[in-house]
Amino acid sequence: MCTVCGCSQATSSIELARGRDPESQGRCCPHRQDDGERHDAHFHGDERLQHSSHARHSHDHEHYQSDGRQALLTCGAGPAGLKVKGTSRERIIWVERDILGKNNAIAADNRTLFAADELLVFNLMSSPGAGKTSLLVRAVSELKLSYPTGVIEGDQQTSNDAERIRAAGVPAIQVNTGKGCHLDAAMIGEAYRRLPRLTRGILFIENVGNLVCPAAFDLGEACKIVVLSMTEGEDKPLKYPDMFAASSLMVINKIDLASLLECDLDKTIGYARRANPKIEVLTVSARTGEGFGALYAWIGRQVAHQRQAVEDARR
Ligand SMILES: Nc1nc2c(ncn2[C@@H]2O[C@H](COP(=O)(O)OP(=O)(O)OP(=O)(O)O)[C@@H](O)[C@H]2O)c(=O)[nH]1
Ligand SMILES: [Mg+2]
């Protein structure tokens, strides 16, 4: 675990073996996309991309916000406390700098690529285990009958999810982020080039299971979708508002378990709308298929909207 912010980005033995700067050991932040970042990527087996990225750390520890602002915690003192320029008080300095600029530039390139193929791209995000892959397996089995469909899967390790998608008869690329806690635009651009051409089709990206960092990264998608499972409790949108603020749609999954749980659906939706008054909401069960008609209708509307935009641009 990161010794500064508590996130799960600490240096692994694998990264140390690859010669990671000992200064950064035990701390997080592959979040930063700047010259200090290192990328080690390879594809293996049936299209699994191993990706490890991390930033060079100064002793100052920087945390980044989804709106691109940077909160700088200068950790001048040791574990006993935080020190900023001679004071012993913790101070947060907001630096108006677009630290996600490099990622955003690559995301813009991805968007150009997707537009050229008239491809609709959805970025699915959730906590680990909310049911993203289960939902995708069911959805792509149906959608592939109407659209060229593909999936990019993101996980720290394993190609399990891509294998589940391929078993449904849809091409999938697995990206392994190693210690990384989210997909970034460069990973998506690279993975997309390894998929068969999906002209006028749909590409689903399943992000790394994490309700925090994926929200901050533009991948070039048409929109972000947050999957929240009934088992997580209704307060997640309050605790992780950035994820819900960034998403156009909240899919509440595992609705088949509703009668067994005390989760208050109305409360969950109300909390999500505090973070994002415009967020649309669907309830589904990836297990039983309940609610998938409405999900397909929603996707159909996005397809129609995108095709109309392409037509308008041509005129
Ligand atoms: N009861 C029920 N279980 C579900 C549903 N959807 C998924 N699950 C179960 O939830 C567990 C996790 O599902 P996954 O689809 O692997 O979840 P995920 O979000 O892709 O997980 P990560 O990729 O690890 O983040 C599995 O045991 C699924 O069978 C659902 O609608 N109802
Ligand atoms: Mg999954």
Side-chain angles (χ1 to χ4, degrees):
M1 180 182 284
C2 169
T3 56
V4 179
C5 74
C7 92
S8 58
Q9 295 290 314
T11 312
S12 74
S13 55
I14 298 170
E15 285 171 322
L16 287 172
R18 289 177 178 162
R20 190 178 183 187
D21 178 4
E23 167 73 3
S24 63
Q25 290 173 25
R27 299 199 201 136
C28 80
C29 281
H31 309 214
R32 186 173 180 176
Q33 308 286 307
D34 61 12
D35 290 345
E37 185 184 27
R38 193 182 69 203
H39 293 267
D40 300 323
H42 70 263
F43 289 80
H44 93 98
D46 193 4
E47 301 293 8
R48 181 153 71 112
L49 171 64
Q50 179 77 38
H51 191 107
S52 170
S53 65
H54 22 75
R56 189 184 301 139
H57 255 277
S58 68
H59 194 62
D60 294 348
H61 192 78
E62 296 152 302
H63 289 250
Y64 302 105
Q65 314 297 310
S66 60
D67 60 3
R69 286 183 303 171
Q70 174 188 15
L72 175 61
L73 289 174
T74 303
C75 309
L82 298 169
K83 190 176 176 185
V84 181
K85 290 183 182 164
T87 75
S88 59
R89 286 207 320 264
E90 176 180 346
R91 201 169 75 183
I92 298 175
I93 303 166
W94 293 101
V95 181
E96 297 294 331
R97 195 178 94 184
D98 186 6
I99 54 92
L100 294 171
K102 185 175 171 187
N103 182 79
N104 289 346
I106 300 170
D109 291 345
N110 289 350
R111 206 161 264 123
T112 303
L113 205 61
F114 299 150
D117 287 349
E118 296 181 42
L119 185 69
L120 190 58
V121 183
F122 298 113
N123 176 5
L124 269 73
M125 309 174 296
S126 81
S127 308
K132 299 179 295 301
T133 312
S134 304
L135 186 151
L136 283 176
V137 166
R138 183 178 281 279
V140 299
S141 302
E142 176 71 24
L143 293 168
K144 72 178 183 184
L145 305 175
S146 308
Y147 310 97
T149 305
V151 178
I152 297 172
E153 285 287 349
D155 283 298
Q156 288 196 322
Q157 299 291 340
T158 86
S159 55
N160 292 355
D161 286 1
E163 283 162 19
R164 289 166 69 188
I165 299 293
R166 286 188 209 113
V170 167
I173 303 286
Q174 182 77 51
V175 180
N176 282 158
T177 57
K179 286 299 181 185
C181 53
H182 59 270
L183 293 171
D184 66 30
M187 297 173 193
I188 296 306
E190 197 172 336
Y192 178 60
R193 288 178 181 89
R194 291 166 189 257
L195 275 171
R197 203 89 188 266
L198 299 170
T199 308
R200 287 173 74 79
I202 300 177
L203 173 66
F204 292 98
I205 300 167
E206 178 181 338
N207 221 308
V208 178
N210 175 353
L211 268 186
V212 184
C213 307
F217 284 79
D218 182 8
L219 305 180
E221 70 275 343
C223 65
K224 290 180 165 69
I225 297 173
V226 57
V227 180
L228 184 71
S229 101
M230 289 294 288
T231 54
E232 292 175 66
E234 56 268 300
D235 62 354
K236 294 303 164 291
L238 291 180
K239 292 179 175 175
Y240 306 100
D242 287 356
M243 176 60 66
F244 297 83
S247 299
S248 303
L249 173 68
M250 171 169 71
V251 179
I252 301 178
N253 189 33
K254 307 195 188 181
I255 201 76
D256 56 294
L257 299 177
S259 61
L260 303 174
L261 301 166
E262 288 181 7
C263 182
D264 183 332
L265 210 52
D266 289 340
K267 246 187 191 174
T268 309
I269 295 168
Y271 290 154
R273 292 208 163 120
R274 272 196 212 173
N276 177 359
K278 290 185 178 164
I279 197 165
E280 295 185 71
V281 180
L282 294 172
T283 51
V284 303
S285 167
R287 177 150 298 170
T288 67
E290 183 182 346
F292 272 67
L295 178 61
Y296 299 142
W298 186 89
I299 290 170
R301 287 196 295 278
Q302 310 312 307
V303 171
H305 178 73
Q306 190 212 31
R307 291 187 177 168
Q308 186 61 52
V310 170
E311 286 301 311
D312 292 347
R314 280 189 184 135
R315 276 193 212 122

